[in-house]
Amino acid sequence: MAPTDPPALETKLDSAETVVAPLAWDAAGFTLPPEEVWAAGDARYEARELLGEGGMGAVMLHRDRHVGRNVAMKTIRSDFVDDLSARTRFLREARLQGQLEHPAIVPVYDIGRHADGTAYFTMKRVRGVTLSEVIDKLQRGDAAMKERFSTRRLLAAFGNVCLAVDYAHRHGVVHRDLKPDNVMLGDYGEVYVLDWGVAKVVGAAEAEPSALDPPEDAAATRPGIVVGTVGYMAPEQLHAVEVDPRADIYALGAILFEIFTLTPLHTSESFESFAQEVRRGVEARPSLRAPSRQADSEVDEICLRATAPVPEDRFQTARELHDAVEGYLEGQRDVERRRRLAADHAQAASELSARAEREGADLEERRRALREIGRALALDPDSEQAMEALVTLLGSAPAVTPPEVAEALSRSEAEANRRSSRFGAMVYGGVLLATPITLWLGLRDATAIIPFCLFAVLAAGTSYASSLTRRPDPRLITAVMFFSSAMFAVLGLIASPLLLVPTAVVANTVAFSINTAGTSRRITLALGVGALVVPWLAERWGWLSSSYRFVDEGMLILPRAIELNERLPYFVLAASIVALAASALVVARLRDALARAETRLQLHAWHLGELVPHVAASPEDGTTGG
């Protein structure tokens, strides 16, 4: 038979590109080149060492004496030399792989025959580790492999695999056996797609099975029409139907899932159980299988689409899958850049926070630290260093009160003063109701009633005037306290320093002490004491007649201005109730204010705890701790 070359099919991809797609050869095989082409084979190549063995043949390292380089030579096994189908598939693999000229597909240099008649072909000798080995060592926690192959680097290599497969698809070739074992990663960034032995040219006749087909086990390619590896075959490959490039996309999706989870998508170990698993369906969401690998919803969407059971639902080309992964990587690169910038800002914030804690530090250090924290958290909301710096600042008070805080406190104090002043005006105005009650009890001397009413009016008026000011006026507050203390002192002159006056003075002094501080509070205390002591001293020193006298039966109260009769207990009871109610209201308002402040403090601590999860509120003191 005369030597012939296998035919070729010219396929137009688009207006800008024309490629040549190799066709499959029929069962008759193809005729080898003339004998003289093969004559120099044994003289040209010098055997060195065995690189690996497979079902079809062995791969050995040889020295190419003509070029002066090492090559990998794949030789068909001697027991298949006379098997026409085996020889056809062997040479078909060589021709097909040789025509796919892509950086990620090992180039074929030569096809020939040894002196004993065994066919061989030589190709580039590649070095590296298979993706399967990488995943296995990463899964076992190999620190060196983890340092060498990050998820980002594996994804970049996966993108190169997608481009190589897309190149093959555009030349009409479907690999049909893509898996981590058939992807090699070199030491210098090289990526190779290996083993094109079961690849098929779309539209060409399938080669007949032969004795070289491996047995039916979990890791082998099944003989006949069903071709592929358990765990990576697309569902349509299980049904022995004509497959198209989308079958490779399913396998790529399974590989991508394994890169993220370090576990196979399908866990079945036999063809039958794998078929059942495919029929049941598998959720290809890396985020569910391995949450610790930090796969997100975008990764889930890519894997789900690539491994869709129906080919029409998958990515329609390997380049589309590549672009999706590349888009994800671009996003990750942006995230990494943002994290690096955030780390710089967080470091600056930590340094500024430390300086802000030093004695004598000004507010500008804190302001700058907070600005840096804001920038860091805007770039990376999960920056622990920035959040810790924020907690440090929030957990300590500055040596100098910020003007904004002072202004806020001033406004709060003014509002409290307005509320208290309005309440005081109502109370002091209500005291005037004691005048008709005094008349009801009976008067001995009406001259003391006039100054009592006058001081009550002055206390109510100045208290109301204080409620109208935008800022607390210490002079008005002192005047209110003076007029109210004078009013109660005169009450001691009307009745007795020991009758009603102490209760009223205590309630009045407590109310003012709550709303004053510093010198004003000391003046408040002094006026309260004066309201109790002055009438008593006036009697002791003889300026006024005594309002009480001790007799054999006990102490006799002798009020100067009012009568003591059976109506007095009602008056004393009513006045005591009023004093008690006023005191209770004052204390209740104070307690409510403290409760609101405590609530705000606890909410502040809760927010810190949510901001930095390891910061928790202390149940004993409500503070936060790292």
Side-chain angles (χ1 to χ4, degrees), residues 342-357:
D344 293 339
H345 288 299
Q347 180 61 34
S350 297
E351 295 172 358
L352 289 167
S353 297
R355 289 205 294 269
E357 293 298 305

Side-chain angles (χ1 to χ4, degrees), residues 2-8 25 30-33 95:
T4 61
D5 287 330
W25 298 278
F30 73 85
T31 304
L32 295 176
R95 292 291 296 271

Side-chain angles (χ1 to χ4, degrees), residues 5 11 26 193 239 309 312 360 373 379 383 386 391 469 491 577 586 617:
D5 287 330
T11 304
D26 60 22
V193 180
H239 304 302
E312 288 74 17
I373 290 171
L379 290 166
S383 172
V391 169
T469 59
L491 179 61
I577 291 174
V586 170

Side-chain angles (χ1 to χ4, degrees), residues 498-582:
L498 305 181
L499 183 65
L500 297 178
V501 176
T503 302
V505 170
V506 167
N508 192 55
T509 305
V510 168
F512 274 91
S513 297
I514 291 173
N515 292 284
T516 56
T519 302
S520 296
R521 183 172 293 171
R522 290 190 289 271
I523 293 174
T524 294
L525 180 59
L527 290 173
V529 171
L532 292 174
V533 172
V534 169
W536 183 78
L537 288 178
E539 292 184 7
R540 294 289 294 175
W541 293 343
W543 296 349
L544 297 173
S545 60
S546 180
S547 62
Y548 60 91
R549 185 171 70 247
F550 292 97
V551 297
D552 293 340
E553 292 81 4
M555 186 176 73
L556 181 64
I557 297 178
L558 303 170
R560 283 177 290 277
I562 60 174
E563 295 284 351
L564 287 184
N565 53 41
E566 67 278 0
R567 298 173 183 173
L568 181 63
Y570 298 103
F571 173 71
V572 173
L573 178 62
S576 298
I577 291 174
V578 171
L580 176 63

Side-chain angles (χ1 to χ4, degrees), residues 319-384:
R319 183 173 288 274
E320 286 183 14
L321 176 55
H322 162 271
D323 292 344
V325 173
E326 187 65 22
Y328 170 78
L329 279 176
E330 282 298 323
Q332 291 300 105
R333 293 186 189 103
D334 181 61
V335 169
E336 290 177 6
R337 286 194 295 268
R338 291 169 67 90
R339 284 177 178 166
R340 287 196 297 270
L341 290 172
D344 293 339
H345 288 299
Q347 180 61 34
S350 297
E351 295 172 358
L352 289 167
S353 297
R355 289 205 294 269
E357 293 298 305
R358 296 172 187 166
E359 186 176 353
D362 59 16
L363 293 176
E364 188 56 32
E365 297 288 346
R366 282 180 172 263
R367 290 194 181 97
R368 291 173 57 197
L370 288 170
R371 285 195 292 268
E372 291 294 338
I373 290 171
R375 295 186 182 105
L377 292 179
L379 290 166
D380 181 12
D382 296 325
S383 172
E384 291 189 6

